[in-house]
Amino acid sequence: MSEPENNKKPRRSIKNLPPERFQPKVLFIWLAIFVAVVGLLVWSPGVTSGPAKFSIQDVVEKAEAGEVTKGVIRSDTTIAPNGVIITGELEKRSLKSSNGADTNSFVASGRLSEGNLDRLQKSKKFSEQPSQTLLSSILVQVVPFILIIGLLYFLFVRQLKQAGRGALSFGKSRAKLLTRDRDKITFADVAGCDEAKEEVSEVVEFLKDSKKFTKMGGKIPRGILMVGAPGTGKTLLAKAVAGEADVPFFSISGSDFVEMFVGVGASRVRDMFEQGRKSAPCLIFIDEIDAVGRQRGAGVGGGNDEREQTLNSLLVEMDGFDTTEGVIIIAATNRPDVLDSALLRPGRFDRQVYVDLPDMIGREQILRVHAKKINLADAVDLAVIARGTPGLSGAELANLLNEAALLAARRNKKKVEMIDVDDAREKVQFGRERRRLMDDEEKKLTAYHEAGHALIQGVLDDGALPVHKVTIIPRGRSLGSTMFIPKKDLLTHAMKRMLNQIAMGLGGRIAEELVLGDISSGAAGDIKQVTKIARHMVCDWGMSPLGPVAYGDNSDTVFLGREITRSENVSEETARKIDVEIHRIISEQYTRATQIITEHRSALDKIAEALLEHETIEGKHVIEIIQFGEMRSPVITAIVVKAEEKTSERKITDKPVVSDVISPGGSTAPTPA
């Protein structure tokens, strides 16, 4: 497919360049300096001794006397019709040259008669060279200047031309045309967003056959705004629309419009729409449109003039854009709250397509798409991986499989196995294992801290979020981790489950206090997390005696341009009541968790002892200790060294991967949305 005609840049000459970019005076000054230097080097009299000047008769006499050791006769018609130049050397004698220096070389010029020529030839000291014509002498003197001028052209003039061409194209659009044959993407390459694909399928049909809609009097949306979290596949979906419709796809980022000079962004917007009209039917995709589409007049001192003019130009072009021309504008952003309201009105970005995080079925579909490029073992169950990775976007799932492939390659495996995926997921979410040297006191503190979390979750769990693994091996900033695996995607947060999560989060601190008689800073992340959950319960979810009222937080929106002053959503009395309720919820769960740990003190000790012995135990071991008082399942050895391969790898187990949020204090717990 050939590029649009407007992409062909017109030829420009130096004389058309702006005067501030091309200054011929500077070039001529440098050229004059260069010529002067060359002239001084070539024609200036040297400081060394030059030849002594003789007459033709003197040379003949000295040749007959045997004083000449060697000589050269060279014809030169520029002196006379039969003129010659004779150069040579005398015997080791001291002569005075023209500049007064001692020399034994000589030069003579003038007419040479036949008799004198015979006398020189008889001395057998002279040789003849071909004659030098006027043309050859001119070439010898002119060719070096031609080479010098050519060199100056390539060094200076070509760069000035390129600079001028860049200056004249400064206001041109930087949209890139996707090569359809090489980079073609279809809906088969996009998974996990079936609803979004249905929304944009109308665009594909319109681009293929626009008359089908215009005959009915319908109008396709002029612009489609894709909204979603980072990595959910907004750009990929836009490319799939172009691939399905088999039309040109222009891609540009919102930051490509914003420049330091006012008016450049607006010029690029106009040029981009002009390209679209010439290549219709086509798609124009603007990624991260919030870079140029933010609310106008934002901030105390006003907004950015260049960005606002660019936005105004975009609004005008879209308002006057005729959809019958077959050009669709698709934009993507993960910050729809900061966009200007004029962009979202009907007639511009009429339709908003929300590309959400994939559910369990969508994650499995995404994994199957990316697994085509990975050499997976037959035992790898993508459905199990999808169930254990809630909240991960498509890009994160692709990164998970890539990390698994890298781990398998480092372990010298031929295929990626389930244990590689499990380790890759833990590495991505929690960080790499760090075999940090800890003394017995720190190990005991960490073991009881994690045992407190695991014990309370094992006792209070309703089956939706069981314990998957407990470890005292440091990962990231955490000295230990308690991991959970959800049985399904948790879309809502029940009050009982949130209270259980608060009690579980406090279990580590309570275990430290009851067993060791002291508390540490390891519960810092747990305290922040339980406070966040309690605040959500009181202020957002209405799970307190204050009633179903959304109190929210104090908001500062100066830089969004909505308000200049700070807005207070609650009074001081209500804020005091909110603090009291948050403190009450946490205190009640602290007492509840203390009672549970006290009643199951023996189980707490056995879980901690198992952690000190094995470093990592599974969730089933925690349940066995709570129910039977001992572990009845064998603990899989963490590291197995194969001497023949000289590699270390973990034993393969058919374990599901999990997803949870790690806290800096050393424990993990799900975070409410």
Side-chain angles (χ1 to χ4, degrees), residues 347-599:
R348 292 189 176 119
F349 286 104
D350 316 69
R351 182 174 299 181
Q352 293 189 27
V353 178
Y354 188 71
V355 186
D356 199 0
L357 292 172
D359 56 9
M360 186 171 64
I361 298 177
R363 291 194 297 274
E364 183 178 355
Q365 294 174 351
I366 293 173
L367 288 171
R368 294 191 184 280
V369 171
H370 294 292
K372 295 178 182 178
K373 305 176 183 178
I374 307 295
N375 191 12
L376 294 178
D378 297 335
V380 176
D381 191 349
L382 296 180
V384 174
I385 300 174
R387 181 172 65 87
T389 53
L392 266 66
S393 64
E396 291 171 332
L397 292 172
N399 183 48
L400 173 65
L401 290 180
N402 182 66
E403 287 290 340
L406 296 179
L407 282 175
R410 286 199 295 268
R411 294 169 178 174
N412 298 324
K413 295 183 179 180
K414 295 182 179 180
K415 291 187 176 182
V416 179
E417 300 172 351
M418 194 70 180
I419 189 63
D420 301 318
V421 180
D422 191 6
D423 292 344
R425 173 236 155 235
E426 293 180 1
K427 176 184 176 183
V428 169
Q429 293 220 321
F430 307 137
R432 187 176 181 179
E433 286 187 357
R434 295 181 293 112
R435 295 286 174 175
R436 176 177 294 178
L437 183 61
M438 293 191 299
D439 56 20
D440 295 338
E441 183 179 355
E442 287 182 341
K443 282 187 177 180
K444 184 178 180 180
L445 174 66
T446 306
Y448 272 100
H449 184 102
E450 300 303 331
H453 291 306
L455 174 62
I456 294 180
Q457 185 66 15
V459 173
L460 298 179
D461 181 41
D462 56 358
L465 198 68
V467 179
H468 167 64
K469 185 186 295 183
V470 187
T471 179
I472 58 173
I473 299 176
R475 286 181 178 272
R477 295 182 298 168
S478 172
L479 296 179
S481 305
T482 303
M483 308 175 189
F484 309 93
I485 177 172
K487 294 293 185 181
K488 61 178 183 178
D489 289 347
L490 302 178
L491 304 178
T492 58
H493 305 286
M495 181 175 178
K496 291 183 179 180
R497 186 181 300 159
M498 291 298 100
L499 293 176
N500 292 343
Q501 292 301 315
I502 294 176
M504 185 276 300
L506 297 171
R509 180 187 178 95
I510 296 172
E512 293 178 13
E513 186 176 3
L514 291 180
V515 177
L516 304 176
D518 195 5
I519 56 177
S520 68
S521 61
D526 302 326
I527 294 173
K528 291 180 181 179
Q529 210 158 46
V530 299
T531 305
K532 182 179 179 180
I533 296 175
R535 184 170 295 277
H536 276 299
M537 293 176 64
V538 175
C539 299
D540 300 326
W541 301 333
M543 298 179 181
S544 72
L546 295 180
V549 180
Y551 295 103
D553 299 327
N554 296 330
S555 58
D556 294 301
T557 55
V558 174
F559 293 101
L560 293 182
R562 297 191 182 100
E563 297 178 8
I564 295 180
T565 59
R566 180 174 179 175
S567 59
E568 297 286 346
N569 294 327
V570 297
S571 63
E572 294 182 1
E573 179 65 21
T574 304
R576 187 187 65 81
K577 293 181 180 179
I578 292 174
D579 294 338
V580 170
E581 286 300 320
I582 293 175
H583 186 271
R584 179 188 63 81
I585 292 175
I586 296 177
S587 299
E588 290 179 356
Q589 298 309 309
Y590 192 94
T591 303
R592 181 188 179 197
T594 303
Q595 182 179 357
I596 294 174
I597 292 179
T598 303
E599 294 175 357

Side-chain angles (χ1 to χ4, degrees), residues 606-624:
K606 291 184 179 298
I607 295 174
E609 291 173 0
L611 288 173
L612 290 173
E613 180 181 357
H614 303 288
E615 290 187 334
T616 300
I617 60 175
E618 298 183 33
K620 61 182 179 180
H621 299 138
V622 175
I623 301 301
E624 289 172 356

